[in-house]
Amino acid sequence: MKQNHKITFQFISEPTDINFGGKVHGGAVMKWIDQTAYTCARTWAETYCVTVYVGGIRFYKPINIGDLVKLEAYIILTGTTSIHIAIDVYSRKFNEESFTKKTHCVIVFVSVDSEGKPLPVKKWVPKTEQEIQLEAYALKLKQLRVNIEEEMQGFIR
């Protein structure tokens, strides 16, 4: 059984993706991120997965209509039922050789059964130095989310 922890999507941005400024709408980019990350999570878990957190989305540069867009999603941490996935979004014009990073974020999914109850996921084990650093990054982000949630408790009704 193959256990892919990375997935890449590529396609051309379309005129229907345009915002009022003439660039690709951030909402379109967020949809692509969710679809790519879901595919990565679903492939790893081999079960239905639900998004439980999207955080730290950072738009570095706009994407132009007609650009070749590439999204790379890769697992950076697994918990008992959760899968933490980083997503990088790149684009380039067809006459350019290299892609430029345009967006980055982390999404957390939970594997669930048909009734929505969490299911265990296979453990992802980092193998390279970069993967070890990415796992440490994910653990730091996880702790920051806990801190933010604790801080917000007094304001949530």
Side-chain angles (χ1 to χ4, degrees), residues 49-107:
C49 295
V50 294
T51 308
V52 295
Y53 179 83
V54 178
I57 189 164
R58 176 68 166 98
F59 295 96
Y60 299 113
K61 296 180 180 180
I63 297 172
N64 295 306
I65 300 303
D67 281 0
L68 181 59
V69 179
K70 177 172 72 170
L71 287 93
E72 295 180 345
Y74 45 97
I75 295 173
I76 58 175
L77 178 68
T78 53
T80 305
T81 61
S82 63
I83 305 166
H84 301 238
I85 298 174
I87 303 92
D88 294 316
V89 181
Y90 303 87
S91 74
R92 70 173 176 86
K93 295 188 182 316
F94 276 89
N95 63 348
E96 296 174 344
E97 290 187 29
S98 59
F99 284 92
T100 302
K101 187 187 276 191
K102 303 298 177 103
T103 306
H104 171 82
C105 77
V106 173
I107 298 184

Side-chain angles (χ1 to χ4, degrees), residues 20-36:
F20 294 109
K23 307 294 183 187
V24 170
H25 193 283
V29 176
M30 292 168 63
K31 178 182 175 184
W32 301 337
I33 286 169
D34 192 49
Q35 291 171 332
T36 307

